[in-house]
């Protein structure tokens, strides 16, 4: 049973455009929602993360939007660049600690065309 | 500072054999988690260790075992290998504490079963 559902599976965006990836969850005990970026042959790298007490968090060109009532969160990549082409994973954990087990979505393969 | 290091980077085994994968966490991190990432999927949680104690176990058979050493490094052992065990095995370390933190991943060990 997939605890975190992610869409779309793949995404193609023009350079300079906005990339949007969506995730949904059911378990209301989740209290930490990170996004990871993974390049081929590499491990996932933390991009940005949010707690459910805020509705939005922005770091540079990356923004997480969080809707607690809908149990959904999304990643927006503004001014997408070819170097952003990678696989993106949303994840969730519970327990209020950095030590929590991460439940990952299935991933979105983003391709940014120049 | 060195990140999470895993060895070996690649490994080829045959069915029925056993394998040992190794992980060194970031200096100062006392928690180590293991994840299995099958091609095209998100990482799936296998084990978590903190201060040499098992803190959690995912839905994996008893063929999978792990341990953490006094220096916080860790080993993942898999016995009686099956074709379905072919995957990227990721190790993540994290720092103890509440608040927004993160699990830092190594680049993984690519295990191929023939």
């Amino acid at each position: 049973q997939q605890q975190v559902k992610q869409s779309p599976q793949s995404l193609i965006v023009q350079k300079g455009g906005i990339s949007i990836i969506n995730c949904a969850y059911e378990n209301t005990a989740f209290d930490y929602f990170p996004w990871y970026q993974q390049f081929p042959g590499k491990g996932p790298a933390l991009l940005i993360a949010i707690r459910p007490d805020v509705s939005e968090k922005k770091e540079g060109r990356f923004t997480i939007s969080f809707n607690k009532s809908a149990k959904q969160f999304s990643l927006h990549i503004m001014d997408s660049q070819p170097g952003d082409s990678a696989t993106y994973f949303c994840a969730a954990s519970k327990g209020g600690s950095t030590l929590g087990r991460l439940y990952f979505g299935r991933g979105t393969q983003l391709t940014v065309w120049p | 500072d060195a990140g999470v290091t895993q060895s070996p980077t690649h490994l080829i085994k045959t069915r029925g054999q056993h394998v040992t994968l190794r992980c060194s966490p970031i200096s100062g991190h006392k928690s180590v988690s293991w994840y299995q990432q099958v091609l095209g999927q998100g990482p799936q949680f296998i084990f978590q260790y903190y201060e040499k104690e098992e803190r959690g176990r995912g839905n994996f058979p008893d063929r999978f075992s792990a341990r953490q050493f006094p220096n916080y490094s860790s080993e993942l052992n898999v016995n009686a290998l099956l074709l379905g065990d072919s995957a990227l095995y990721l190790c993540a370390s994290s720092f103890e504490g509440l608040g927004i933190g993160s699990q830092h991943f190594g680049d993984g060990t690519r295990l191929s079963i023939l």
Side-chain angles (χ1 to χ4, degrees):
Chain A
Q1 181 185 358
Q2 194 76 18
Q3 297 236 14
V4 178
K5 296 181 179 179
Q6 182 172 348
S7 63
Q9 187 175 348
S10 64
L11 183 61
I12 300 174
V13 173
Q14 201 89 26
K15 179 183 175 181
I18 302 173
S19 304
I20 302 174
I21 304 171
N22 301 299
C23 286
Y25 64 97
E26 286 298 323
N27 191 339
T28 55
F30 287 145
D31 57 8
Y32 174 61
F33 302 89
W35 285 88
Y36 283 84
Q37 178 189 56
Q38 187 175 29
F39 292 103
K42 296 292 186 180
L46 179 70
L47 204 55
I48 186 172
I50 198 168
R51 295 269 186 196
D53 52 347
V54 298
S55 60
E56 185 175 284
K57 182 175 181 181
K58 183 176 180 179
E59 289 184 2
R61 296 185 294 109
F62 301 92
T63 300
I64 299 179
S65 297
F66 188 85
N67 186 329
K68 188 175 182 178
S69 60
K71 292 184 286 187
Q72 295 175 346
F73 58 110
S74 60
L75 176 69
H76 296 233
I77 305 174
M78 311 300 288
D79 187 26
S80 298
Q81 299 296 313
D84 296 331
S85 297
T87 301
Y88 292 80
F89 294 95
C90 61
S93 71
K94 55 189 175 183
S97 165
T98 60
L99 305 182
R101 163 186 178 172
L102 289 169
Y103 295 83
F104 283 86
R106 291 184 183 273
T108 296
Q109 188 166 352
L110 172 65
T111 303
V112 182
W113 289 100
Chain B
D1 286 343
V4 177
T5 57
Q6 293 187 242
S7 63
T9 55
H10 294 84
L11 204 49
I12 298 175
K13 292 285 188 179
T14 57
R15 284 177 295 175
Q17 288 188 310
H18 70 272
V19 68
T20 298
L21 310 180
R22 295 179 175 83
C23 171
S24 293
I26 292 172
S27 178
H29 286 192
K30 298 179 179 180
S31 175
V32 169
S33 298
W34 288 94
Y35 290 82
Q36 180 196 64
Q37 186 177 20
V38 174
L39 197 62
Q41 302 286 326
Q44 296 292 315
F45 174 78
I46 309 175
F47 283 109
Q48 184 178 63
Y49 277 79
Y50 175 67
E51 287 278 19
K52 303 177 286 296
E53 296 287 329
E54 183 183 302
R55 280 290 187 89
R57 182 184 183 120
N59 189 24
F60 280 81
D62 291 343
R63 300 184 296 108
F64 289 77
S65 64
R67 56 179 175 168
Q68 187 176 32
F69 298 100
N71 66 353
Y72 304 108
S73 67
S74 178
E75 284 183 352
L76 175 69
N77 295 283
V78 187
N79 294 323
L81 288 166
L82 303 174
L83 292 177
D85 296 332
S86 294
L88 179 69
Y89 288 85
L90 295 162
C91 173
S93 75
S94 58
F95 181 74
E96 175 192 11
L98 297 177
I100 292 193
S102 64
Q103 294 191 28
H104 300 263
F105 285 84
D107 288 335
T109 294
R110 174 71 63 186
L111 176 63
S112 299
I113 311 300
L114 303 180

